[in-house]
Amino acid sequence: MPSTLILNIKCLVNTRNESHLLHGKELANLPCINNAYLFIENGTIVAYGSMDESPLEKFKSSEIIDAEEATVMPTWCDSHTHLVFATSRENEFVDKIKGKSYAEIAASGGGILNSAKAIANATEDDLYNSAYKRLEEVIQLGTGAIEIKSGYGLSVEAELKMLRVIKKLKANSPIPIKATFLGAHTYPIAYKENHQGYIDEIIQQMLPVIAKEQLADYIDVFCETGFFSKEETETICKAGIEYGLKPKIHANQLHLSGGTEIGVQLNAISVDHLETMDETSIATLAKSNTIGTLLPTAAFFLRMHYQPARELINAGCAIALASDYNPGSSPSGNMNLVVAMSCIQMKMLPEEAINAATINGAYAMELGHELGSITVGKKANLIFTKPLPSLAYMPYAFGSNLIDKVMINGYFYIP
Ligand code: NIG
Ligand code: FE
């Protein structure tokens, strides 16, 4: 059985005997062991502790790694991405610089519809190859589990094409992937005046095939003014639930859309975005087990106000952080930047941001039992940092690449 003993870890981050979803104040507690060792067998964490425990005498290991000055932490768990897309959209980026808003671009047939046109013309192989390259890039940036959505298809054929690409990525990826069906991302042009027609297509034609071919783990709806109403979101999510897909909803991005309330009511795994929250929606989320997933790089890219992280944490919500990697509102899957931005712009403590991007991110993909913390029995998906003066240096030095190596399933990752 292959085993690895890692010695002289400057700081072993997020060490937990047991793990659970962190709410409110719990997020500020990030247990660490200074001058630590970690013992891995078959890609699984078997033991860890202080170097004072003489690990070299305790463990027989096939490989020994001296971590020297590295801090070792669980890899990022990125629970919200749109990693599969056919083309970038920097033309809209320039339009936004010139003054157009995201909503204006979408209303004039750009935005998501632009990505849908490109998906319709792309082959499954091309989509797979470009998405795999993005996956390799984000793993090197420290992501060790990821959720990927469809939603740029918007027709039976193209949504299924996207989901089949995600299924193939799942089969070949070294890191766990969760698939989310987001057929209800926007209304395709043909259904602009016939919302019920498209909802019927989702429910009657897409969902049965998705269930039969096991193409998705979750169902998502863009619950937003000008996109899907609260009632439409409810109808679509309930249909998904019938097929065993739990909801993860795009909620409260541009308006108080009611997405948070409907997500909580439907026991959604998460409600994501949350740029636009009021006291009632915060209180509703706080009373629930639904995770609030914050996507600060999307707020940054669209020049919106950031998510009210402090209010959400103070109210007792369970918060996760994710990249929203997509060509329209967050063309980056860099979770290091997400964590830094959360500290700089949303005033999250480094401890809170790291917990939200690791353990709570894992729970936002129902992977809390296997990832997100240094816990016996969890996967050895680990970030080895370059020498850091302290952990807070990571979000502080936001522009530097502070990752030295990434370990996936007990092996250093080489793309
Ligand atoms: O999460 N808000 C909705 N969907 C994506 C953006 C989609 C796009 O513009 O391509 C998001 O931000
Ligand atoms: Fe998104």
Side-chain angles (χ1 to χ4, degrees), residues 80 82 89 102 112 152 185 222 250 253 273 324 326 328-329:
H80 181 138
H82 310 246
R89 302 208 317 249
Y102 180 75
I112 297 166
Y152 290 130
H185 201 181
F222 188 18
H250 278 76
Q253 182 183 12
H273 269 291
D324 198 15
N326 78 76
S329 66

Side-chain angles (χ1 to χ4, degrees), residues 378-392:
K378 287 198 181 186
K379 265 188 205 304
N381 284 11
L382 307 166
I383 292 172
F384 285 62
T385 71
K386 293 177 186 165
L388 305 176
S390 74
L391 201 53

Side-chain angles (χ1 to χ4, degrees), residues 8 34 79 93 134 158 192 198 209 217 253 255 258 398:
N8 302 319
N34 290 329
S79 62
F93 165 68
R134 287 178 207 121
K192 212 172 164 199
Y198 187 54
V209 186
D217 303 292
Q253 182 183 12
H255 298 91
F398 69 93

Side-chain angles (χ1 to χ4, degrees), residues 81-87 115 119 124 126-128 130-132 134 148-152 161-163 165-167 169 325-327:
T81 82
H82 310 246
L83 189 87
V84 175
F85 53 85
T87 52
S115 287
I119 287 274
E124 223 171 283
D126 286 347
L127 287 177
Y128 173 82
S130 61
Y132 201 87
R134 287 178 207 121
I148 308 176
K149 300 174 194 295
S150 68
Y152 290 130
K161 175 161 68 177
M162 285 192 78
L163 288 167
V165 168
I166 301 172
K167 188 170 183 175
L169 290 169
Y325 194 176
N326 78 76

